[in-house]
Amino acid sequence: MSETVIAVPRTRTCPFSPPPGLAEVRDRAPVTRATFPSGDEAWLITGHAEVRAAMRDPRFSVKVPRALHTKDGVVTAKPGRGSLLWQDAPDHTADRKLLAKEFTVRRMQALRPNIQRIVDEHLDEMERLGPPADLVSSFAVPVPSMVISDLFGVPVEQRPEFQEIAEAVMGVNPDPEVAQAAGMRLGGMLFQMVQERRANPGDDLISALIGTDDPEGVIDDMFLITAAGTLLIAAHDTTACMIGLGSALLLNRQDQFSLLRNDPSLVSTAVEEMLRFLTIGQYGGERLATEDVEIGGVLIRAGEQVVVHALAADFDPALVVDPDTFDITRRPSAHLAFGFGPHQCIGQQLARIELQIVFETLVRRFPELRLAVPVEELSFRDEMVFYGVHKLPVTW
Ligand code: HEM
């Protein structure tokens, strides 16, 4: 076991590569002690096999006492039974089962025509307005927002407000008062939405959950509001980041852009490689050992906190050959961009469908698309839980 305590590498020098130093840490000690921005010392897990082992091990809880990635380390209170993200078994298993029933591959596939329409409409508008355009505000942000809002039946007039609230809730180190106010507004909006669905059920997901056979009475207003809030936020920001950052990456790598444009059948491997190469949950997940656990031959004691660093793991040469090369023809890897184990992303099928439609359509409709500014002038989301690009000026 390595006794050295390292400072977790967080500063990127290339916007499309993990922070320098992370690979060396992983290759030297895939489970090691590290210090984090909160000032705390905890375990940092970076090897692919070790991250997977920790993520699927039920002896790790998501209820961490300290938020290691924030400057003050304070964990904000989670009301009620809580969102899936902050629950452990058995509550997590039961609630996830209820939601997963509505996230079938069939239901997600049925959304394809609607997603295609939303993507087409946004690209039509971009074309109509002419170059240059900011691909983030005109495409990457509104498309996932419209998709998930459609899925839940969020009324059109409430969508801009929802988008604004999601931004406020997701930032790292947000002003606690701003975050609390955003959380309250989101709660109010969802409460109203649930009441409307109860009165007038539709074919949306909230109505489907209300109609679920629920002999134990788990699906009350609080459950619905929490579930919808978690889903809306988890689906919105992540997918928007992947569209913006994935586009930036493709435009910075014109060889890969051309490959995809010339052979659209590559879109599913291209999306898998983008997910791996960008692994946007850039700091890794936080967990707490509830019992002594051995990971990668290292003993982690009950009560100790760990960070499972999926980004470092997705560049492990044990996962793919030549991990630093972005290659859209690569065979899909067992990457950890959607997590692993009991908390693995419930919306991954929807995210994949959305990203495939987005990138196939974008390169087909704008075969001459290119960055309108040098890549050095782009500003990236270095301080956010999910990595991305703030603005993406493009021309064609
Ligand atoms: C490219 C887009 C997306 C990425 C990269 C992503 C990534 C992730 C990751 C890494 C986790 C695991 C978190 C952890 O282990 O603590 C997760 C969980 C989750 N995701 Fe996604 N996600 C995406 C899209 C979506 C979409 C579209 C939805 C819903 C429609 C969604 C809903 C959820 C939910 C509800 C969870 C919590 C699951 C649980 O705790 O059991 N995500 N996502």
Side-chain angles (χ1 to χ4, degrees):
M1 171 183 138
S2 160
E3 289 298 333
T4 324
V5 181
I6 55 130
V8 61
R10 301 238 310 185
T11 312
R12 298 180 195 247
T13 47
C14 165
F16 302 115
S17 302
L22 207 50
E24 289 72 17
V25 169
R26 181 197 61 229
D27 296 344
R28 202 180 53 242
V31 183
T32 189
R33 299 295 288 169
T35 51
F36 292 86
S38 63
D40 296 84
E41 194 186 304
W43 292 102
L44 173 66
I45 309 185
T46 48
H48 189 263
E50 292 81 1
V51 169
R52 269 167 70 114
M55 284 188 127
R56 76 165 156 242
D57 195 314
R59 291 170 295 179
F60 285 106
S61 163
V62 291
K63 295 182 180 171
V64 294
R66 298 276 296 162
L68 301 176
H69 300 312
T70 62
K71 289 206 180 82
D72 61 7
V74 175
V75 177
T76 44
K78 311 285 184 308
R81 182 155 167 164
S83 131
L84 281 187
L85 284 161
W86 318 118
Q87 282 177 331
D88 293 325
D91 285 354
H92 175 263
T93 323
D95 287 7
R96 182 161 167 130
K97 209 167 138 196
L98 287 170
L99 279 186
K101 253 193 353 209
E102 302 305 331
F103 270 83
T104 56
V105 175
R106 218 168 116 238
R107 187 175 195 132
M108 297 304 123
Q109 288 293 355
L111 294 170
R112 266 186 184 277
N114 222 16
I115 299 173
Q116 184 70 61
R117 181 185 50 76
I118 291 168
V119 166
D120 286 339
E121 281 172 6
H122 283 81
L123 293 181
D124 286 347
E125 181 64 3
M126 203 169 99
E127 193 167 26
R128 194 184 66 77
L129 293 173
D134 171 20
L135 204 68
V136 170
S137 57
S138 60
F139 188 59
V141 169
V143 165
S145 175
M146 294 291 280
V147 171
I148 197 75
S149 302
D150 260 16
L151 182 63
F152 293 165
V154 177
V156 174
E157 62 279 8
Q158 282 178 7
R159 290 177 189 187
E161 188 190 359
F162 165 70
Q163 223 160 283
E164 187 196 316
I165 294 171
E167 288 281 312
V169 177
M170 285 306 291
V172 167
N173 293 323
D175 177 334
E177 278 178 27
V178 175
Q180 205 182 1
M184 298 277 284
R185 278 173 70 199
L186 181 64
M189 196 180 98
L190 295 174
F191 177 77
Q192 197 192 343
M193 195 174 85
V194 166
Q195 304 318 313
E196 281 164 10
R197 286 307 99 71
R198 282 198 192 283
N200 296 303
D203 55 6
D204 58 275
L205 205 104
I206 307 296
S207 302
L209 281 170
I210 291 171
T212 299
D213 185 27
D214 173 32
E216 284 167 37
V218 173
I219 306 180
D220 56 11
D221 278 358
M222 191 59 178
F223 176 93
L224 290 165
I225 292 166
T226 311
T230 306
L231 287 167
L232 284 166
I233 290 168
H236 172 261
D237 203 45
T238 47
T239 317
C241 283
M242 268 309 296
I243 297 174
L245 193 63
S247 303
L249 174 63
L250 271 184
L251 294 175
N252 192 47
R253 288 293 307 274
Q254 282 290 336
D255 59 322
Q256 301 295 303
F257 183 95
S258 307
L259 265 179
L260 181 58
R261 184 189 53 200
N262 298 339
D263 183 359
S265 73
L266 288 175
V267 75
S268 57
T269 55
V271 164
E272 290 313 308
E273 177 67 345
M274 280 187 225
L275 285 162
R276 177 194 76 84
F277 198 80
L278 298 170
T279 307
I280 58 171
Q282 58 176 337
Y283 304 136
E286 300 190 41
R287 300 286 192 269
L288 175 75
T290 57
E291 297 173 30
D292 290 0
V293 189
E294 200 179 295
I295 299 286
V298 176
L299 179 66
I300 296 171
R301 295 199 180 277
E304 290 181 333
Q305 239 177 284
V306 306
V307 165
V308 278
H309 209 302
L311 175 62
D314 282 347
F315 281 74
D316 190 334
L319 172 67
V320 287
V321 179
D322 201 5
D324 297 326
T325 300
F326 173 60
D327 174 4
I328 66 161
T329 66
R330 197 191 277 284
R331 217 158 46 106
S333 58
H335 63 71
L336 302 173
F338 289 120
F340 191 67
H343 290 275
Q344 194 177 34
C345 181
I346 211 169
Q348 60 184 287
Q349 289 313 325
L350 178 57
R352 285 192 164 99
I353 292 170
E354 233 174 303
L355 294 174
Q356 288 169 10
I357 293 177
V358 157
F359 289 111
E360 184 277 322
T361 314
L362 186 67
V363 300
R364 174 165 51 77
R365 294 280 308 270
F366 293 89
E368 302 302 323
L369 196 69
R370 56 194 186 280
L371 290 175
V373 297
V375 71
E376 296 74 31
E377 285 180 23
L378 297 176
S379 146
F380 292 87
R381 298 174 35 132
D382 290 311
E383 291 304 316
M384 310 281 275
V385 172
F386 289 104
Y387 188 54
V389 61
H390 288 295
K391 283 194 167 95
L392 189 62
V394 292
T395 188
W396 55 91

